[in-house]
Amino acid sequence: MAGVEVGVSDRERVDLIGELERLKSAAAAVQARLAGAMAADATRAVSDRGVRVRAVRSVAGQVGLARRCSPARALTLVGLGRGLVEELPCTLAALAEGRISEWQATLIARETAVLAVDDRRVVDARLGPVLGALGDRGVAAAARRMADQVDPGAVARRVKRAEAGR
């Protein structure tokens, strides 16, 4: 793509930047599916919690090498992949369609992490129609607000989780 910045209008540059962002989101969705599948495969037949944790960390190590990121970031990405595939299908679809960024998908996963799986799916379905129309703050606020509506106890668990993380 060398030279695309020469001889084109700013409007064409902006259009290309937008198209590349959609492509990055679509690629992130495929990466999430692959990482989620790897983690699911690695833990499917394992009942011991310690072995499961080590298996997921091993997958995260491989993902980290492939994505050129730290082990901690890779562990987050593997968790995101599993969450999107197993519990947040509308968010995954919006990511695959390029309507949201990987960061926005991460925000949704983070804000709904305190919910039971069924409640998380309810929030995901309610969020689906507005995804792509909100910025980062709006996505996080909408996910938090809907999570609190679906499960009022989520607020207390979120606070407790934040305190434990300090």
Side-chain angles (χ1 to χ4, degrees):
M1 298 203 97
V4 295
E5 68 281 355
V6 179
V8 295
S9 70
D10 282 349
R11 180 68 197 152
E12 291 169 315
R13 290 176 182 140
V14 169
D15 288 346
L16 182 56
I17 290 169
E19 194 55 41
L20 290 169
E21 281 301 312
R22 285 185 283 284
L23 183 60
K24 282 172 40 181
S25 293
V30 174
Q31 289 174 320
R33 284 187 183 105
L34 293 170
M38 287 175 65
D41 287 349
T43 59
R44 184 167 288 118
V46 180
S47 59
D48 181 79
R49 179 166 163 54
V51 174
R52 289 174 66 93
V53 168
R54 286 192 298 278
V56 170
R57 285 197 177 132
S58 174
V59 168
Q62 295 172 62
V63 169
L65 288 172
R67 291 199 62 178
R68 298 180 187 102
C69 64
S70 72
R73 175 75 179 132
L75 193 57
T76 298
L77 291 168
V78 169
L80 176 64
R82 285 193 83 173
L84 290 172
V85 169
E86 297 171 7
E87 301 170 6
L88 300 167
C90 295
T91 301
L92 180 58
L95 182 62
E97 294 162 6
R99 291 186 289 129
I100 63 171
S101 66
E102 185 175 42
W103 175 242
Q104 289 176 330
T106 302
L107 292 171
I108 294 165
R110 182 184 73 194
E111 295 300 334
T112 61
V114 295
L115 299 175
V117 172
D118 288 341
D119 289 341
R120 203 171 194 201
R121 288 183 181 131
V122 168
V123 171
D124 181 59
R126 288 183 185 174
L127 269 176
V130 300
L131 293 178
L134 302 170
D136 294 350
R137 285 186 190 173
V139 164
R144 187 179 316 111
R145 184 176 53 256
M146 289 180 192
D148 295 345
Q149 290 169 352
V150 169
D151 179 4
V155 175
R157 287 193 306 280
R158 187 179 297 110
V159 169
K160 189 179 276 188
R161 187 174 176 179
E163 289 171 350
R166 290 186 194 133

